[in-house]
Amino acid sequence: MNSPDASTAESGLRQQARQCIDTQQWEAAQATLESLATLVPEDAGVLVELANVVFRRGRLRESAALLLRVGRRLPRDARLIMTVAQRLVAVGETLAARGCLDLLAQAPEPPPELLVAQAHLRFSLGEIAPAKTLLERALAAGVDSPGELHLHAMLLQFSGDIEGACTVLEECLRRWPNFGDAAMVLVNLRKQTPHANRLDFVQEQLRQLPAQDRDPGARFVRAEFEYAQFKILDDLERQQEAWDCLARCNAIMHELNPYNAEGEAAVTEALIRMPALGDATAATSSPAFEGPTPIFIVGMPRSGTTLLDRMLSSHSQVASAGEIIDFWRQLHWMADVPPAKARGQLKVIERSADIDYAELGARYLRQTQWRAHGRACYIDKLPANIQMVAFIRKALPHAPILHMVRDPVDTCFSNFKAMFGNVSPYSYDLQALAHYYRQYARLSRHWHDHLPGAMLDVSYSALVRDPQHTLRQVLEHCGLALEASCLRPELNASPVATPSSAQVRESIHTRGVGQWRHYAKQLEPLRRAIAEDDSATA
């Protein structure tokens, strides 16, 4: 039992730490929490708080070490274990986080809110089936909110149960008619037809929403319903009306999520000027790693990366890990730089010459090879890894990198009409979109020029027009033989968690080629802005 003096000291330190955290005095908060940890060394909550403060101070590795220390001696406190799991994911310790989740799974009667939290974290790790099971247990236990029903619909959609997802979303809108998340997903799941569409409903909700409401949340909801209206009208081939709706949606989203052109350009320039990390031909002399091989798919978002992923993961020796950010997390760990958008990326690039790339590769493999589920290869399909090509080549010289290439205007228009939510700010303004594309094109050319052979270009138009020949070349590059199942991606039953998850369950088609021409007049400023870079390739 603590003495009265010790209890008083502990209480004072806790109060002092809380005051420092509330006022963002991070150095003082760290010192106070370290004193507190010395006084109560078995208090896991104090160590978790200390890890959070250290992270705030820019010390990623130290934060991770503290969390791993807690993870080795977890208390019988389900909520704290959940917090530790969430923080472990953020610092790139996926295996330890999954260990926490596995421990939570043994709880005999967890409260519904804990089931929901586990479902969200499993979902963030790409574990769709476990997330769906957890959420359905929570729903059966009485969880009943639009957000959780929306997540349930998404998990059903990603699992291939489109009818089930539609049923859940329709129930959401019946009960909460101004729930924009449900409206937006619902109209995307099915092609809207003259005899079956939600146009009247969506337009009625827009009439009821205050047009001049400046609250960001209310503005976001209006943007969602404008997007839903665009999708319906686009399906009905009422292009001018559809464009007006999309323009209003994206104007709101651009206002809510301004694009940082200066930051994007700075990152591209820094990557291009980065000291050489080694010759791409080093792969021929470096020893191969053990266990499943990652296959990276990179490029612009909406360039066909999901289709290529579905075709490849239909192979008997290939699994899809989905859009994971593990390589970024491990690179940040190696550089000891917490993620901070462009500022964090620039700091990592500054430290690139001092990184132990063998350890980077080993850490990445250790945290991701479980995703292969017994197969020889697994796909890391994160388009933004186009910025990581030099790092991947150095850390994992035997890992194939496939670069998806699509017509620039088709690619940009597909981004412009995607409505990614409060992420991807480049996608909501035509000039911003053109600027972002030019950075991507410039960097892609740089990799080809300075790391020849580092990545294989895969043409989207060739893939959909001559899938057998194109995919045979891709598989040969990956050391695999073509299997007939790869040409029938619509039969691939594995989950797919991307905005195009409904479309890629169709057979291979060419409808996406030249799709922008339906809006050629409206997209002329975009086409001209892209053409400012004379070297942009189709």
Side-chain angles (χ1 to χ4, degrees):
M1 177 180 291
N2 288 343
S3 67
D5 287 345
S7 296
T8 301
E10 177 187 340
S11 177
L13 286 170
R14 289 185 186 277
Q15 183 177 358
Q16 183 180 342
R18 177 49 48 198
Q19 289 173 345
C20 291
I21 291 170
D22 289 344
T23 55
Q24 299 186 10
Q25 299 178 61
W26 303 121
E27 184 176 359
Q30 180 179 343
T32 305
L33 286 166
E34 286 172 343
S35 298
L36 185 57
T38 301
L39 196 62
V40 285
E42 301 302 314
D43 192 322
V46 172
L47 292 180
V48 172
E49 198 69 76
L50 178 58
N52 186 46
V53 168
V54 167
F55 184 88
R56 294 272 192 166
R57 295 196 66 199
R59 299 176 184 176
L60 180 56
R61 290 192 185 190
E62 190 176 342
S63 177
L66 286 163
L67 291 167
L68 288 171
R69 177 177 159 191
V70 175
R72 287 190 287 269
R73 298 184 62 181
L74 288 167
R76 296 179 64 84
D77 181 336
R79 285 179 175 79
L80 182 60
I81 294 172
M82 189 68 234
T83 297
V84 172
Q86 291 166 334
R87 301 279 175 83
L88 283 166
V89 169
V91 297
E93 297 291 347
T94 303
L95 291 183
R98 294 182 78 234
C100 292
L101 289 171
D102 290 343
L103 181 61
L104 288 172
Q106 300 173 23
E109 295 182 11
E113 61 271 19
L114 185 60
L115 291 170
V116 168
Q118 292 178 72
H120 277 280
L121 194 55
R122 290 284 189 187
F123 174 45
S124 76
L125 293 173
E127 298 186 88
I128 304 301
K132 180 171 169 287
T133 298
L134 286 161
L135 189 61
E136 287 174 348
R137 285 177 61 192
L139 293 170
V143 168
D144 185 34
S145 71
E148 308 320 328
L149 289 175
H150 171 254
L151 177 58
H152 187 214
M154 298 291 284
L155 292 170
L156 289 168
Q157 172 194 343
F158 297 155
S159 303
D161 185 358
I162 303 301
E163 291 301 318
C166 287
T167 298
V168 172
L169 293 168
E170 285 162 356
E171 175 64 12
C172 270
L173 290 172
R174 185 188 67 78
R175 297 174 61 191
W176 300 284
N178 64 347
F179 184 36
D181 290 1
M184 197 168 66
V185 176
L186 182 60
V187 299
N188 265 323
L189 289 181
R190 292 175 174 154
K191 183 176 176 63
Q192 306 291 294
T193 69
H195 306 293
N197 64 72
R198 302 299 297 255
L199 185 59
D200 289 345
F201 169 80
V202 168
Q203 290 179 338
E204 176 58 29
Q205 300 315 306
L206 281 166
R207 281 192 289 271
Q208 293 185 21
L209 291 171
Q212 303 304 318
D213 197 325
R214 303 311 301 170
D215 174 72
R219 299 285 291 160
F220 183 80
V221 171
R222 172 165 282 280
E224 289 183 307
F225 276 100
E226 289 284 15
Y227 173 84
Q229 188 176 205
F230 155 74
K231 171 58 168 59
I232 298 166
L233 292 168
D234 183 55
D235 283 351
L236 298 178
E237 299 183 3
R238 293 161 59 176
Q239 272 89 17
Q240 184 56 59
E241 296 169 85
W243 179 267
D244 292 342
C245 299
L246 182 60
R248 290 194 294 270
C249 165
N250 284 0
I252 295 171
M253 296 305 295
H254 182 56
E255 176 189 336
L256 295 175
N257 303 278
Y259 172 62
N260 181 7
E262 183 178 344
E264 287 293 342
V267 169
T268 302
E269 186 66 26
L271 286 167
I272 287 173
R273 294 184 178 277
M274 186 170 61
L277 299 182
D279 190 342
T281 59
T284 59
S285 58
S286 300
F289 46 75
E290 295 182 359
T293 300
I295 299 172
F296 292 87
I297 299 178
V298 306
M300 272 286 289
R302 310 294 291 174
S303 60
T305 55
T306 301
L307 174 61
L308 181 59
D309 174 280
R310 298 298 285 177
M311 295 173 76
L312 287 178
S313 63
S314 297
H315 195 284
S316 61
Q317 293 301 308
V318 183
S320 174
E323 294 191 353
I324 59 175
I325 59 174
D326 292 68
F327 194 87
W328 290 71
R329 283 177 171 146
Q330 299 314 319
L331 180 60
H332 276 268
W333 189 95
M334 291 299 304
D336 200 13
V337 176
K341 298 184 179 179
R343 182 164 51 85
Q345 289 176 262
L346 291 169
K347 194 71 174 176
V348 169
I349 295 167
E350 282 180 21
R351 299 182 179 182
S352 61
D354 300 322
I355 288 172
D356 182 335
Y357 286 92
E359 185 179 359
L360 170 60
R363 283 188 61 86
Y364 172 84
L365 293 170
R366 187 163 59 249
Q367 298 295 336
T368 61
Q369 283 184 321
W370 62 271
R371 297 178 182 275
H373 302 294
R375 299 189 182 188
C377 303
Y378 59 106
I379 301 167
D380 182 331
K381 186 201 86 73
L382 186 69
N385 276 337
I386 188 67
Q387 295 184 328
M388 296 289 104
V389 167
F391 299 103
I392 295 169
R393 275 278 60 79
K394 184 69 171 176
L396 299 163
H398 289 271
I401 304 176
L402 308 174
H403 174 218
M404 202 72 203
V405 182
R406 187 182 181 190
D407 173 84
V409 187
D410 265 335
T411 302
C412 289
F413 176 54
S414 189
N415 277 267
F416 192 66
K417 68 184 183 72
M419 178 47 163
F420 293 114
N422 289 320
V423 294
S424 305
Y426 69 86
S427 66
Y428 296 118
D429 175 79
L430 294 180
Q431 293 301 313
L433 191 47
H435 181 272
Y436 186 84
Y437 183 87
R438 292 198 304 271
Q439 305 312 304
Y440 148 78
R442 184 183 176 208
L443 186 59
S444 301
R445 290 194 303 275
H446 174 76
W447 297 143
H448 280 307
D449 291 344
H450 291 82
L451 290 173
M455 59 185 186
L456 176 70
D457 283 355
V458 182
S459 164
Y460 173 78
S461 61
L463 186 65
V464 296
R465 286 174 169 149
D466 189 359
Q468 182 167 336
H469 176 72
T470 306
L471 196 64
R472 188 187 303 277
Q473 292 179 321
V474 171
L475 286 166
E476 285 178 359
H477 183 76
C478 299
L480 299 166
L482 180 66
E483 294 180 355
S485 57
C486 297
L487 303 176
R488 299 293 305 277
E490 72 276 13
L491 302 181
N492 188 336
S494 61
V496 52
T498 70
S500 54
S501 60
Q503 297 94 306
V504 296
R505 293 191 184 278
E506 302 175 344
S507 57
I508 299 167
H509 59 78
T510 61
R511 293 195 304 272
V513 177
Q515 199 173 60
W516 69 273
R517 297 185 186 281
H518 296 302
Y519 295 93
K521 178 182 176 182
Q522 296 92 338
L523 291 170
E524 182 59 18
L526 172 67
R527 192 193 64 77
R528 288 200 306 269
I530 291 174
E532 289 177 13
D533 181 350
D534 295 332
S535 312
T537 56

